[in-house]
Amino acid sequence: MDSKPLIARVPSLPSSQSRSRQCLRGMVAIMLAGALGVSMVAMRFATSADISDIALAPRVAPLTRCRTVAHAGVSSSSSRRGFVSGLALGIPAAITLSIPRDSGAAGSFKFPGDKPKDLGVRSDGGLKGCSPTTSNCWSTSADDDKHIASSFTFSKDKEAAIADLKDVLMSYPKEGQRINDKDIVDGGGWRLMANDGGYFQLEYESKKFGFIDDVEFNVMEGKVNYRSASRQGDSDFGVNAYRLNFIANGLKKKGWSTPGFPLTTVAQR
């Protein structure tokens, strides 16, 4: 059952008061949140780890910048894998607090984040773009070189192209795509959310923490527009590129043109 995010508010202090007092209030809020069962530690699992669940080292903020950030999911200023920060050497750290969704398994929680409300096909056949400040999104409708991707193209009729694309999408491993001996992509599986006249919308999930990526495809005459993006954080460890490379490779085997592939998987350049 999804729960609303736990908001830990730290009141603003007059400029004449010490920053350390502000940090103390933040620490108290964090401890109270911990007492309510908020998960506050993330780690990389040693074997068969989903690359989407890799947690960054604690991001410690200096006393002069101590703050508490609280909302659903991950602070937009950090990787989604670093969705929780700890304390190091007694220095208060910036931390994101949220009450996760119980996945049904004992001790298992998911952090899917909020689904964008503006997914879907635009009037020109394009899709949602990408935030220029993130490194976890690819879109044929992006406005900048960092996120722009080339459309898949084909020389067959549209209905045949739709069938090709669906076949490739359905071939994606439900257990996730293994990229090396230890890491997998989308280990939590995927779900087809929409299949409407050449428009496909899917959700791909990481294995341990249930981070969700939203992926869309729109088949037009002679080409397919697409978007693959993480809901949270600003980095994806190449997950969206790995996924799109798999799909592009499958389409190429069916005679399609996939310009610009394979995409780089090194933290979006």
Side-chain angles (χ1 to χ4, degrees), residues 7 35 94 98 100 123 144 157 161 172 188-189 196 198 229:
I7 305 299
S98 66
S123 60
D144 61 286
D157 65 76
Y172 197 85
D196 183 13

Side-chain angles (χ1 to χ4, degrees), residues 67-255:
R67 62 191 175 92
T68 298
V69 181
H71 58 77
V74 186
S75 168
S76 60
S77 64
S78 65
S79 163
R80 69 181 186 179
R81 288 95 198 158
F83 71 99
V84 175
S85 298
L87 298 178
L89 301 179
I91 302 176
I95 186 167
T96 296
L97 302 177
S98 66
I99 294 180
R101 171 167 59 84
D102 189 341
S103 68
S108 178
F109 294 95
K110 303 294 185 180
F111 297 82
D114 296 325
K115 183 174 182 176
K117 300 182 183 301
D118 55 349
L119 298 179
V121 181
R122 275 46 177 171
S123 60
D124 62 354
L127 300 167
K128 180 179 172 68
C130 298
S131 169
T133 61
T134 64
S135 296
N136 59 10
C137 176
W138 297 87
S139 175
T140 51
S141 298
D143 296 324
D144 61 286
D145 292 339
K146 182 178 179 181
H147 301 92
I148 191 69
S150 299
S151 298
F152 301 136
T153 60
F154 54 88
S155 58
K156 56 189 70 179
D157 65 76
K158 184 177 177 180
E159 291 304 314
I162 291 174
D164 280 355
L165 178 58
K166 182 177 180 181
D167 184 53
V168 171
L169 294 177
M170 296 302 105
S171 73
Y172 197 85
K174 276 289 189 180
E175 69 277 10
Q177 178 188 172
R178 184 166 293 280
I179 59 174
N180 56 43
D181 290 341
K182 295 193 301 182
D183 297 319
I184 59 176
V185 171
D186 304 320
W190 55 268
R191 297 173 290 278
L192 180 62
M193 307 302 292
N195 176 9
D196 183 13
Y199 172 73
F200 296 90
Q201 183 186 120
L202 305 98
E203 293 180 355
Y204 294 80
E205 183 174 330
S206 68
K207 184 176 183 179
K208 299 296 182 182
F209 296 114
F211 296 116
I212 298 292
D213 293 349
D214 295 293
V215 184
E216 301 175 278
F217 298 88
N218 184 41
V219 183
M220 303 177 68
E221 292 296 336
K223 71 176 184 178
V224 172
N225 293 325
Y226 57 87
R227 177 181 185 268
S228 183
S230 305
R231 290 182 182 177
Q232 306 182 75
D234 64 6
S235 179
D236 67 355
F237 287 84
V239 168
N240 288 283
Y242 281 117
R243 182 184 306 120
L244 288 174
N245 285 343
F246 179 99
I247 295 167
N249 186 55
L251 293 174
K252 189 174 183 179
K253 292 178 179 178
K254 293 180 177 292

